[in-house]
Amino acid sequence: MVNRLKAILADFFQQADLVLLGLCCASTLYGIALIASATHYMKPVRMIRYVGVQSVAMLLGLCAYILMSMVDVEILVKKWKWLVVFNIVFIGLLKTPLGVGGESTGNQAWLKFPFIPFQIGPAEVVKITFTLLLARQLAWLREEKRDLRSFSSAFMAAGHTLALMGWYVVISKDMGNALTFFCIFLCMAFAAGFALRWFALLFAGIGAAVGGVMVLDSLGKVPKSFSYMVDRFKVLFDHSYDSLGVGWHQTRSLLAIGSGGVFGQGYMNGTQTQSASSTSLPARWTDFIFSVCGEELGMVGCIAVILLLAAVILRVLLVAKHSQTPFQCYVCVGVAAMLLYQTVINIGMCLFVMPTIGVTLPFFSYGGSSLLTLYAAMGMVSAIKKRSPTMRRYRGVLR
């Protein structure tokens, strides 16, 4: 047993993507340091809990990375029917007593299992299985129909995506994570070679729908849930619009980042970050962890965050470029799209140029299930790199 374990680890260190793993670990450790500062104003027990949960999630994530690095995703996706059932059922659990949510937003997007120290967001897990299923669908369409530019191909892939998004939104009311699926679809469809006219038609439809909602909102005929989302967009164009309500989070965030300057106010010395006042920066260890970085470490610290995440995304895309099959390429593109969407939305949200939709910053924001699934997704990329002849040939150079 011991010898078998040694052989597995030796194979992992020889063939897995250690560069990607190193970037993920560096980002996570940086994030844990920011979480420690963001919770420093609390009682020591609570601060230790947040840091401890994130650290445990990182260790579990490392195990997930090693495990997924040894899995052939092409074999895994052969059980695609089970993955479809899993997606439907796992999201459906949000309507059981296990489902929990936020009172302020009305979202029910988390599961609380007994004896697990952190809540699990089904969307975090389903992002991975959805990426695998969509990659398989695109590969199948490419092989069977041999024309990804046709309407039927676009309709089938888009239908799959919209069906999952609809199911998730109906169950959870969480639009932020639902849009992650949409971004994954867009990037994977573009990489697969879908005709640009279908993208144009799709965006035209979205534009028309948004315009219609805005008109109905001006007439007072939009339900409260939709009206609240419209307000989140309105405040982007007029920062004074409801600055004490829907714009409160981002107003405090912008103030924190602006006060940090180039080098920041100092680690664990941020005015808002270290304040226990209810008027200080909200959700500072989750959605607005980037604002904590801006206030305490300044522009230099923020650039370091962006560079680390950009390096992770570029590494994933490099593996996609040298992947062995179209399916493997689509999987890597989907993972990169997930990271890119969350990074752009979260940082844009902190800078008051994107709406507040509850999307966390990958590897940096507090969240055990999010971190664990991120490492599992990176492990899939590592598994693809391991099976790529080109990447193996240039292993020494790439490392």
Side-chain angles (χ1 to χ4, degrees), residues 91-92 94-95 106-109 162-175 178 181 226:
I91 292 173
L94 291 170
K95 284 299 185 182
N107 293 350
Q108 182 133 337
L162 293 175
L164 182 66
M165 286 178 63
W167 174 243
Y168 180 71
V169 171
V170 166
I171 296 294
S172 70
K173 307 293 189 296
D174 177 16
M175 183 61 71
F181 300 123
F226 277 97

Side-chain angles (χ1 to χ4, degrees), residues 41-63:
Y41 74 97
M42 299 178 176
K43 292 180 180 179
V45 174
R46 290 193 67 191
M47 185 194 80
I48 291 171
R49 179 187 177 277
Y50 281 113
V51 173
V53 168
Q54 196 75 350
S55 300
V56 169
M58 179 182 176
L59 293 176
L60 293 175
L62 289 172
C63 295

